[in-house]
Amino acid sequence: MRGDQSNQGEIMLALTPDQLVPADHPLRRVKPIVERVLGQLSPTFNRMYARIGRPSIPPEHLLKASLLSALYSTRSERQFCARLQTDLLFKWFLDLNVSQPGFDPSTFSKNRQRLLSHDVAGEFFRAVLAEAGAQKLLSDECFTVDGTLLEAWASIKSFRPRGEDDPPRNGWGRNQGVDFRGQRRRNDTHVSLTDPEARLARKGPGKEAKLSYAGHVLMENRNGLAVDVLLTEADGYAERRAALEMLGRRGRRSRATVGADKGYDSREFVAGCRQLRVTPHLARNTNKRRSAIDGRTTRHPGYQQSQRKRKRVEEIFGWVKTVGCGRKLRYIGVARNQLWIELTLAAYNLIRIAKLQAVAPA
């Protein structure tokens, strides 16, 4: 029979968010890893704050909030705080009570410089990798490197000639019309007034040019985990420079291989890899010039395997741009966007680790 609609809410409830989250929810496998990592970062958190004064929002809450924003495609910090007020799953992940209110969006901006000064995002990313290494999920021999363009939080209208004091106004209102017809705009003569570190770049011939940054990822080939990430200004050489920098961070512990697309096929990059004791398994670029990779490298079965595995790095970029809302960046400047991409890829690695744990034999 049809039930009656009841509008009277219960006054007293003896429930906690933990009781309301399903036992098989995916975040239940992620949260213990996050708790262990945050426990390791506790000494760093102690150095970030003074011993006296008014207590602030715990840094653990800020990092967990950043992870949830990436995992649940939350576009802005204001949107996250609005959802935190009503979403019991978010409160459970942050260890908040049902009646405890969320924090203000300005908390993120007020504490961001503190996180940047102590490289908290980098330490968190590396601590998550250490968890994966402890579970034998990482390879220290086979890697893949790639880069992509990430659109900056700046309008193409803000790209004005360097040294221009007051841009000409065309109409009324904040969104002024700008006519670029007949003008040649280049990075060495123009700069964005909104984000001076953004650079005009395009993905390929025939594509529109946008103010962008370059995101670079070093992936290990065993399970497709991101082992290093770097965000730089976008120019024609950023990918190869960033790849050598990330490969250099791993040290010269043992001989390794790195797969990449034909955009990395240059003599300078190959020579830099060999100096780092890394064998470059690059796709050969034979369109307009002679490839820097010859048959001494391509004849080995490992080269073909690296070429198959390297396509998995596109899964990382696809996740960052769609689920992580990284198709268009939300911050201004390299430093703040580097913090964002490190936390976003830490969230990606956490999901991968949790899935690998679920399918691992008991």
Side-chain angles (χ1 to χ4, degrees):
M1 79 181 192
R2 179 181 177 182
D4 295 330
Q5 182 178 355
S6 176
N7 295 323
Q8 179 63 44
E10 298 184 28
I11 300 177
M12 301 286 293
L13 287 176
L15 290 175
T16 63
D18 184 73
Q19 295 173 287
L20 300 175
V21 176
D24 59 346
H25 197 280
L27 279 185
R28 284 201 177 272
R29 297 195 300 267
V30 173
K31 188 177 180 182
I33 307 174
V34 175
E35 298 291 350
R36 289 196 297 269
V37 170
L38 292 176
Q40 298 172 16
L41 298 183
S42 182
T44 301
F45 297 153
N46 291 335
R47 294 193 298 268
M48 290 169 54
Y49 297 90
R51 296 188 177 184
I52 58 175
R54 186 178 62 180
S56 67
I57 298 295
E60 292 87 348
H61 287 181
L62 298 178
L63 293 179
K64 287 182 177 181
S66 299
L67 295 178
L68 288 174
S69 295
L71 295 174
Y72 285 88
S73 305
T74 307
R75 182 59 212 168
S76 67
E77 292 155 356
R78 185 174 298 277
Q79 184 182 14
F80 170 83
C81 291
R83 184 169 178 179
L84 178 62
Q85 190 67 26
T86 57
D87 197 321
L88 292 177
L89 178 67
F90 280 26
K91 289 194 173 185
W92 166 79
F93 195 78
L94 268 66
D95 296 317
L96 297 178
N97 294 322
V98 175
S99 60
Q100 190 171 351
F103 40 83
D104 191 84
S106 62
T107 304
F108 289 94
S109 56
K110 292 178 180 178
N111 287 273
R112 186 170 294 115
Q113 187 57 47
R114 183 180 284 116
L115 298 177
L116 286 170
S117 302
H118 292 81
D119 191 26
V120 173
E123 286 195 32
F124 185 84
F125 179 81
R126 291 186 289 271
V128 171
L129 280 181
E131 285 285 326
Q135 300 178 33
K136 309 297 182 183
L137 299 177
L138 297 178
S139 169
D140 58 354
E141 297 179 351
C142 302
F143 300 92
T144 295
V145 68
D146 203 0
T148 189
L149 289 180
L150 302 173
E151 188 178 350
W153 188 258
S155 169
I156 194 68
K157 296 179 182 180
S158 70
F159 199 59
R160 307 298 304 173
R162 294 179 182 270
E164 185 179 61
D165 295 331
D166 189 14
R169 299 178 65 87
N170 183 12
W172 299 92
R174 296 176 57 189
N175 191 11
Q176 299 292 321
V178 180
D179 184 10
F180 291 110
R181 185 169 299 179
Q183 298 182 22
R184 187 176 183 181
R185 292 170 293 168
R186 301 176 59 182
N187 288 318
D188 55 353
T189 59
H190 289 62
V191 66
S192 171
L193 302 181
T194 303
D195 189 351
E197 296 182 85
R199 293 292 178 266
L200 198 65
R202 66 181 69 205
K203 288 183 176 293
K207 301 291 185 179
E208 69 276 16
K210 298 180 179 180
L211 291 170
S212 307
Y213 286 96
H216 316 273
V217 169
L218 182 66
M219 179 193 75
E220 58 85 32
N221 289 353
R222 179 180 298 172
N223 291 305
L225 292 169
V227 296
D228 204 348
V229 58
L230 193 61
L231 189 135
T232 65
E233 296 181 356
D235 60 47
Y237 306 96
E239 286 189 338
R240 295 191 285 270
R241 287 199 307 264
L244 291 175
E245 181 177 347
M246 291 187 294
L247 289 170
R249 292 176 182 174
R250 63 173 291 274
R252 301 188 181 186
R253 297 186 295 272
S254 60
R255 176 68 65 178
T257 64
V258 59
D261 58 35
K262 63 183 180 181
Y264 293 83
D265 187 6
S266 69
R267 298 187 182 279
E268 294 79 7
F269 181 74
V270 170
C273 288
R274 298 194 186 281
Q275 290 180 359
L276 297 172
R277 299 185 63 192
V278 177
T279 302
H281 286 179
L282 313 178
R284 302 182 69 181
N285 187 2
T286 58
N287 294 335
K288 298 181 180 180
R289 53 182 173 78
R290 184 177 179 181
S291 173
I293 302 296
D294 54 29
R296 292 175 296 177
T297 300
T298 59
R299 66 185 179 183
H300 295 287
Y303 175 81
Q304 302 299 330
Q305 186 176 6
S306 292
Q307 288 300 298
R308 290 194 300 269
K309 289 284 190 178
R310 73 174 177 84
K311 299 175 183 179
R312 295 189 64 183
V313 74
E314 299 298 339
E315 299 177 10
I316 299 178
F317 289 133
W319 192 94
V320 168
K321 291 183 178 181
T322 55
V323 180
C325 296
R327 194 175 301 276
K328 186 178 182 69
L329 299 173
R330 67 186 72 176
Y331 302 113
I332 293 176
V334 171
R336 284 186 281 186
N337 283 308
Q338 174 72 26
L339 181 144
W340 168 83
I341 199 170
E342 285 175 338
L343 292 177
T344 301
L345 282 183
Y348 174 84
N349 284 342
L350 286 167
I351 290 295
R352 289 288 301 144
I353 293 171
K355 289 183 178 179
L356 292 169
Q357 287 178 337
V359 300

